[in-house]
Amino acid sequence: MSAQHQTIKAPVAVQTSRTSRPEIVETVADVIADVRANGDAAVRRWSQKFDDWSPESYRLGPDRIAAVVASVPETVLDDLRFVQKQVRGFAQAQRDSLTAFEVETLPGVFLGQRNLPIGAAGAYVPGGRYPLTASAHMTVLTAKVAGVERVAATTPPDRGAPPPVSIAAMHLAGADEIYVIGGVQAVAALALGTETIDAVDMLAGPGNAYVAEAKRQLFGEVGIDLFAGPTEVLIVADGTADPFVVATDLLSQAEHGPDSPAVLITTSEEVGRQTIAWVDKLLPGLSTGDVAGRAWRDHGEVIVVPTLDAAYALADEYASEHVQILTAKPREALHRMRNYGALFLGDKTCVAYGDKVIGTNHVLPTLGAARYTGGLWVGKYLKTVTYQEIRDPASSARLGEICGRASRIENFEGHARSGDVRAARHGSARLDWTDHTFEQS
């Protein structure tokens, strides 16, 4: 950090580790190994232990889903439909931007690209203290827009019963299968398959530290969306920003958990100090103030920088999950920043909109991963594959000759001979490593 930067609120705790605690790693490994070896019996054993939940079937049938959805107030269902329309519309625009193509690179040489959906996806919708109903939109809906044929969604039980709003969200989003299983046992069952749950090709959705570690350990056997850490927010503000708005928006993300970083980078010391004062004033009246207060105390930062150029540069170093721009000309950030999960421009939008209602995906990179990846999007559920076809004999012969020479440079004789065969069959080359000949057409 530059000597010109002034920190007027520093974090108390160290930065969250990118690796899980040893006890979490061990517990997760035990559950995965058990599910791998014992299937449904292991899922039931761990579900009973962790969630006191052992129904006759973990999968909800159509009648049960209909009954659960019917128990949800119509106004809530209307809101779910509205939000899902926003998510679907943006995901569809993303899908439409991905096009197949075929090009002729040499006479008669055609190379092509296709975008194929994966066969099956698993969607984890968290429960517990914060049942992230919106995660159903982000994972299930996005997969279905991509064209995934089978989406299996799961969520933990809520006090011994399926959580109605989460079930409704998964159903309205188009989930083909809905399970009420939580934690590592749910992730392992979807990734590995059991007697009653078919394995999926990819896992998506946020969760606690155990779910995140389970996805980490299973990555490779299945694809995953992201390695997730605590929710992060970073606000870039100039002297035009309203400290009350800044404080409110920082706390909106700090309430996610006690280890959620909330950072303000501002060109105005006055905005910085007034924001701190407003945070202190707002916390006592916030129902989630205990959690948000711990996050602010341990991971909150306020840094004053001399210029907006310095603010954007410093924000890029953080590579935060959510970056909110509260400046006189917020769109400047589009051209000045590169490291963020999602960007929120101006005070008419906010990170909470991205989390809940606006339509962009809220499954985003954390812990600095925004340096090398974006968040979950329709393309995550697609495999970009290529193909080639040669129709012109002369082009095949020419490529065969070059392939032979290029392969022998690398001591790949088998590769070279595949090229030699085409050079001989479709051209005039001779095969000096065999007495086989081709009739010239």
Side-chain angles (χ1 to χ4, degrees):
M1 192 177 296
S2 168
Q4 292 181 297
H5 299 168
Q6 178 189 3
T7 299
I8 57 176
K9 161 71 175 75
V12 173
V14 296
Q15 183 183 28
T16 301
S17 172
R18 288 178 170 82
T19 58
S20 300
R21 299 195 306 272
E23 64 272 20
I24 293 178
V25 173
E26 182 178 0
T27 298
V28 168
D30 289 344
V31 175
I32 290 174
D34 195 7
V35 173
R36 190 188 301 278
N38 300 300
D40 285 337
V43 172
R44 187 167 296 278
R45 179 163 47 252
W46 292 103
S47 180
Q48 179 65 47
K49 177 177 180 178
F50 291 139
D51 292 327
D52 193 24
W53 176 245
S54 184
E56 182 178 343
S57 172
Y58 289 103
R59 180 174 177 177
L60 299 185
D63 292 344
R64 186 73 187 280
I65 292 172
V68 171
V69 173
S71 72
V72 178
E74 192 61 33
T75 54
V76 175
L77 296 177
D78 286 343
D79 286 345
L80 290 176
R81 294 185 184 104
F82 172 86
V83 173
Q84 291 189 354
K85 182 178 180 180
Q86 314 315 306
V87 176
R88 183 182 291 107
F90 189 75
Q92 188 62 56
Q94 290 181 321
R95 181 66 184 89
D96 293 344
S97 74
L98 299 169
T99 57
F101 66 85
E102 184 175 275
V103 293
E104 188 175 8
T105 58
L106 292 168
V109 177
F110 296 90
L111 308 183
Q113 172 178 297
R114 301 181 67 202
N115 298 295
L116 304 178
I118 63 173
Y124 188 85
V125 179
R129 180 175 59 197
Y130 301 124
L132 296 182
T133 302
S135 292
H137 322 326
M138 308 302 175
T139 53
V140 178
L141 247 180
T142 306
K144 296 308 288 186
V145 171
V148 177
E149 186 173 332
R150 170 180 167 249
V151 178
T154 187
T155 192
D158 178 21
R159 289 165 291 190
V165 178
S166 294
I167 299 301
M170 292 188 287
H171 173 66
L172 294 174
D176 300 288
E177 301 164 18
I178 295 177
Y179 298 90
V180 182
I181 318 174
V184 180
Q185 60 272 20
V187 173
L190 288 172
L192 304 173
T194 70
E195 299 91 328
T196 60
I197 301 173
D198 291 335
V200 299
D201 303 310
M202 176 181 160
L203 292 167
N208 61 19
Y210 290 89
V211 169
E213 177 59 24
K215 289 164 65 178
R216 185 189 301 274
Q217 291 189 24
L218 289 162
F219 177 56
E221 292 188 71
V222 292
I224 66 169
D225 49 358
L226 295 164
F227 293 119
T231 293
E232 304 163 349
V233 62
L234 184 149
I235 294 178
V236 174
D238 63 12
T240 68
D242 183 337
F244 172 76
V245 173
V246 176
T248 300
D249 289 348
L250 288 171
L251 291 177
S252 78
Q253 297 303 297
E255 74 177 357
H256 273 277
D259 50 359
S260 288
V263 179
L264 168 62
I265 300 173
T266 180
T267 57
S268 167
E269 182 175 348
E270 182 181 5
V271 167
R273 294 198 181 280
Q274 288 187 17
T275 295
I276 294 171
W278 269 115
V279 168
D280 292 340
K281 189 178 296 186
L282 291 170
L283 272 171
L286 184 64
S287 61
T288 52
D290 177 55
V291 172
R294 289 163 60 197
W296 176 249
R297 179 196 68 201
D298 293 344
H299 300 280
E301 295 182 66
V302 178
I303 302 164
V304 180
V305 297
T307 65
L308 274 177
D309 285 345
Y312 293 138
L314 182 57
D316 262 350
E317 291 181 23
Y318 277 82
S320 182
E321 177 186 17
H322 307 101
V323 176
Q324 201 166 336
I325 308 297
L326 298 177
T327 64
K329 298 179 179 179
R331 288 186 69 85
E332 285 183 349
L334 282 174
H335 309 290
R336 306 302 297 275
M337 291 190 63
R338 69 171 68 237
N339 298 335
Y340 51 83
L343 203 59
F344 301 82
L345 303 175
D347 66 359
K348 295 181 181 64
T349 187
C350 58
V351 178
Y353 282 7
D355 282 347
K356 306 301 180 186
V357 298
I358 207 167
T360 50
N361 205 294
H362 78 191
V363 181
L364 298 167
T366 58
L367 299 174
R371 292 177 294 108
Y372 58 82
T373 187
L376 181 63
W377 69 297
V378 74
K380 278 279 189 178
Y381 295 100
L382 298 169
K383 300 174 293 182
T384 299
V385 297
T386 59
Y387 64 90
Q388 57 177 263
E389 179 185 10
I390 300 178
R391 302 174 193 167
D392 185 277
S395 289
S396 180
R398 180 187 176 195
L399 288 170
E401 292 179 7
I402 297 171
C403 180
R405 293 195 297 270
S407 298
R408 289 186 173 96
I409 290 172
E410 299 176 347
N411 298 320
F412 278 95
E413 182 62 23
H415 286 64
R417 291 183 178 189
S418 282
D420 294 348
V421 165
R422 274 74 190 176
R425 184 171 187 178
H426 301 295
S428 58
R430 297 176 59 84
L431 301 177
D432 60 8
W433 44 267
T434 181
D435 59 4
H436 183 82
T437 59
F438 294 104
E439 292 183 10
Q440 298 300 316
S441 56

